[in-house]
Amino acid sequence: MARGEFALIDRHFRAVGALRGDVVLGVGDDGAILRPPPDHDLVAVSDTLVEDVHFPRGAAPRSIGHRALAVNLSDIAAMGATPAWSLLSLTLPAAEDDWLAEFATGYASLARAHDVALVGGDTTRGPLVVGVQVLGFLPRGRGLRRAGARPGDRIFVSGTPGDAAAGLALLQARLSASAAPEQAAELRERFEFPAPRVALGRALLMIASACIDISDGLQGDLAKLATASGCAAHLELERLPISAALAAIHDAEAATRSALTGGDDYELLFTVPPAHWPAIEALRGTVGMPRIAEIGVLREGEGVVLTRDGCPVPQAHAGFDHFA
Amino acid sequence: MARGEFALIDRHFRAVGALRGDVVLGVGDDGAILRPPPDHDLVAVSDTLVEDVHFPRGAAPRSIGHRALAVNLSDIAAMGATPAWSLLSLTLPAAEDDWLAEFATGYASLARAHDVALVGGDTTRGPLVVGVQVLGFLPRGRGLRRAGARPGDRIFVSGTPGDAAAGLALLQARLSASAAPEQAAELRERFEFPAPRVALGRALLMIASACIDISDGLQGDLAKLATASGCAAHLELERLPISAALAAIHDAEAATRSALTGGDDYELLFTVPPAHWPAIEALRGTVGMPRIAEIGVLREGEGVVLTRDGCPVPQAHAGFDHFA
């Protein structure tokens, strides 16, 4: 079959991603056959990007390919797991060769960087919707969850939340930063090509008491962790890690709001009991780790309490919710 | 969070599907944690249903929920695997309680019938697109593939292909059957609630040399099997199993065309070497097995050759192809 969806899939997606010895049968049959390592549990995540919801119409296809995989790798990271295999369900209004090539490049580069094979999926004509699933491994009986944090545990976050939301605003021209073009480019990059924190998640498996990735905004995702753990999360606003780029285009209040409620960061938000605080210091000195900031503490109670210099301040707007 | 997507997911999808002891952590965290059985390989399949492509606008939500899982279970069946876990990525224009309840009922009934748990997924606002992934098991090193058939193997098909395409035509009022209302209802049912052939696929693991499920039309899918196996498939038209319902609403030529090129059957098409033909006879006597018809033979060569009473006849229109 020299044309049609089968040829398309073949041409662009047959060689995408890492080559792995544990893929017994990859793309091209009714299903993939995969060989999990002994004494490990499997982690399965699934996340979908929809045009006009998760990325603007006309977004760069390389960024869409990257982000579709990145948001799933971020979920894998939040479980402390090691990613291995992915499936891609692509619904497209039209099969354009250039678009597919760029999309596949974005997907493939990130997949190879994390040793993830593309083992299956499907392609259909329709509105632009990109569904990805990633499978990974955990040593049997382990895994980071949203539940597990205890009063007294400190709260940490990787990277600099709020950058991606500002980057999206710049891409959509809802925000302009003509006086700071380099910083604006950095923020756009943070939206278009987020770095999933897989190595950090794996390292946290022995250290963190709970973990979640920030996809819907730091404050909203912290609330989910606090609820699952049955604690109150006290978030110390003066400790929020604001990037130099974000500070260059926003005043302090807008930067804080972006860091609290901006979505699409794909950073890890996690809690660490006192016995493991030295391990966080050690991680900070490790090559390849993102910035790690301590931003608060868990106490008895419920919900998120925002504080500045020890005093409570009013709640900002809650996290992103598609059906709010 | 008492509203929004999280509440929606909770209400309709938290208790969907089978309860399985190998689900360490199900819906509600960043990922699911699953425990594969030792000495087994994993099978992963992914298939997406798009409104106006895979089902008509306004289709019954219970049918959409059923079919979204059924098409994936059919892929699992075609590998000879046993299904275990599913993920559901639901993109919806609006969150309507009644629609979701019916959809969940369709999904859940079939999931329970096949002991499949729903372990994760996501819900997003957007055009109606239903992505499902199913994970299952195979004894290590086994599995049915499209490749593996040899000249001399006989070709078999389960059920009565062509019914679903006629059922869809009736649903869309492209076809009317006022003189045969019971048969019309039976055909619509075959489109709306296809029965994935999981038990048959598992039984074929020791018997068949190659297998594929018919989703895009018998003739087109037979061509894929023949190509993957490096053989020619001689399809004996006089042996095609035409259901009484299909024969009641179509003349012989239209019924044959529907059986050859109609999509959405989700039957198994498989090849069996001579040594295993008696095993097919035994299967035919087993409770719960669908009708199994012998419809042709593999020979040296390539492609699909249609014959009637031993003589070649011209090719009909090829299988369904979204990007043809």
Side-chain angles (χ1 to χ4, degrees):
Chain A
M1 199 167 290
R3 73 210 165 80
E5 80 174 311
F6 310 110
L8 260 179
I9 292 166
D10 267 14
R11 198 161 63 246
H12 289 292
F13 296 110
R14 192 170 281 271
V16 158
L19 291 172
R20 295 179 58 100
D22 54 14
V23 177
V24 180
L25 182 66
V27 171
D29 214 298
D30 288 308
I33 304 180
L34 309 164
R35 186 152 297 168
D39 302 320
H40 281 71
D41 286 335
L42 196 70
V43 173
V45 305
S46 175
D47 230 333
T48 302
L49 299 189
V50 179
E51 186 176 58
D52 288 331
V53 178
H54 300 98
F55 56 87
R57 196 167 290 264
R62 196 159 62 85
S63 164
I64 300 171
H66 176 101
R67 292 182 74 243
L69 182 58
V71 302
N72 280 279
L73 291 179
S74 183
D75 282 329
I76 287 278
M79 305 299 292
T82 302
W85 308 308
S86 68
L87 297 107
L88 169 63
S89 299
L90 193 54
T91 305
L92 286 173
E96 290 169 15
D97 203 51
D98 290 352
W99 194 97
L100 283 166
E102 280 292 299
F103 176 93
T105 298
Y107 194 99
S109 305
L110 187 65
R112 288 200 198 101
H114 290 277
D115 197 25
V116 171
L118 178 69
V119 300
D122 62 314
T123 312
T124 311
R125 189 194 292 279
L128 184 53
V129 174
V130 188
V132 173
Q133 300 77 47
V134 175
L135 300 171
F137 315 127
L138 278 172
R140 179 162 296 195
R142 307 299 308 276
L144 300 173
R145 303 176 182 207
R146 297 176 181 183
R150 305 288 305 272
D153 292 358
R154 298 288 303 175
I155 304 167
F156 296 83
V157 69
S158 66
T160 48
D163 290 357
L168 176 59
L170 288 163
L171 276 168
Q172 295 182 309
R174 287 183 285 113
L175 189 66
S176 82
S178 50
E182 280 175 35
Q183 289 86 343
E186 189 184 324
L187 295 171
R188 285 193 301 265
E189 177 90 2
R190 292 266 291 151
F191 174 80
E192 289 190 289
F193 297 98
R197 305 304 189 185
V198 175
L200 175 60
R202 211 155 43 202
L204 292 176
L205 203 49
M206 310 295 288
I207 297 171
S209 51
C211 187
I212 188 172
D213 82 319
I214 317 180
S215 49
D216 298 338
L218 191 159
Q219 187 176 339
D221 288 324
L222 181 57
K224 290 176 208 162
L225 185 152
T227 299
S229 294
C231 298
H234 288 241
L235 205 168
E236 300 157 5
L237 295 178
E238 71 279 11
R239 289 177 176 267
L240 277 182
I242 304 293
S243 71
L246 193 63
I249 65 150
H250 272 325
D251 63 25
E253 190 188 326
T256 297
R257 194 165 52 236
S258 191
L260 283 180
T261 65
D264 298 313
D265 287 314
Y266 303 105
E267 296 292 349
L268 295 187
L269 178 67
F270 54 97
T271 57
V272 180
H276 290 153
W277 295 347
I280 294 294
E281 285 313 309
L283 268 189
R284 282 181 167 137
T286 305
V287 173
M289 285 295 158
R291 174 172 172 173
I292 300 173
E294 186 181 329
I295 57 168
V297 67
L298 289 172
R299 301 194 190 283
E300 303 277 354
E302 61 182 27
V304 173
V305 179
L306 303 180
T307 68
R308 187 178 296 279
D309 305 320
C311 302
V313 298
Q315 293 277 336
H317 167 269
F320 188 70
D321 177 352
H322 295 299
F323 288 115
Chain B
M1 198 166 291
R3 69 207 169 82
E5 80 173 310
F6 310 110
L8 260 180
I9 292 167
D10 266 14
R11 198 160 64 245
H12 289 292
F13 295 111
R14 192 170 281 270
V16 159
L19 291 172
R20 294 179 58 99
D22 54 13
V23 178
V24 180
L25 182 68
V27 171
D29 214 297
D30 288 309
I33 305 181
L34 309 164
R35 186 153 295 167
D39 303 320
H40 282 71
D41 287 334
L42 196 71
V43 173
V45 305
S46 175
D47 230 331
T48 302
L49 299 190
V50 180
E51 186 176 57
D52 288 332
V53 178
H54 300 97
F55 56 87
R57 193 167 293 263
R62 196 160 61 86
S63 164
I64 300 171
H66 176 101
R67 292 183 74 243
L69 181 58
V71 303
N72 281 278
L73 291 179
S74 182
D75 282 330
I76 287 279
M79 305 299 291
T82 302
W85 308 307
S86 69
L87 296 107
L88 169 63
S89 299
L90 194 53
T91 305
L92 287 174
E96 291 169 14
D97 203 50
D98 290 351
W99 194 98
L100 283 165
E102 280 292 299
F103 177 92
T105 298
Y107 194 99
S109 304
L110 188 64
R112 290 201 196 100
H114 289 277
D115 197 24
V116 170
L118 179 68
V119 300
D122 62 315
T123 311
T124 311
R125 188 194 291 280
L128 184 54
V129 174
V130 188
V132 172
Q133 300 76 47
V134 175
L135 301 171
F137 315 127
L138 277 172
R140 179 160 295 194
R142 308 298 308 275
L144 299 173
R145 306 177 180 207
R146 297 177 181 183
R150 303 289 304 274
D153 292 358
R154 297 288 304 176
I155 304 166
F156 295 83
V157 69
S158 66
T160 48
D163 290 357
L168 176 58
L170 288 163
L171 276 168
Q172 295 182 310
R174 288 184 284 112
L175 190 66
S176 82
S178 48
E182 281 175 35
Q183 290 86 345
E186 188 183 325
L187 295 170
R188 284 194 301 266
E189 177 92 2
R190 293 266 291 150
F191 174 81
E192 290 190 289
F193 298 97
R197 305 303 189 187
V198 175
L200 174 61
R202 209 156 46 202
L204 292 175
L205 203 49
M206 309 296 286
I207 298 171
S209 51
C211 187
I212 187 171
D213 82 319
I214 316 179
S215 48
D216 298 338
L218 191 158
Q219 188 176 340
D221 288 323
L222 181 58
K224 291 177 206 161
L225 186 152
T227 299
S229 295
C231 298
H234 289 242
L235 205 168
E236 299 156 4
L237 295 179
E238 72 279 12
R239 289 177 175 267
L240 277 182
I242 304 294
S243 71
L246 193 64
I249 65 150
H250 273 325
D251 63 26
E253 191 188 326
T256 298
R257 194 164 52 238
S258 191
L260 283 180
T261 64
D264 299 312
D265 286 313
Y266 304 105
E267 295 294 348
L268 295 185
L269 178 66
F270 54 97
T271 58
V272 180
H276 290 152
W277 295 347
I280 294 295
E281 285 311 308
L283 268 187
R284 281 181 167 139
T286 306
V287 173
M289 285 295 158
R291 175 172 172 173
I292 299 173
E294 185 181 329
I295 58 168
V297 66
L298 289 171
R299 300 193 189 282
E300 304 278 354
E302 60 183 28
V304 174
V305 179
L306 303 181
T307 69
R308 187 177 294 281
D309 304 321
C311 303
V313 298
Q315 292 278 336
H317 167 270
F320 188 68
D321 177 352
H322 295 300
F323 288 115

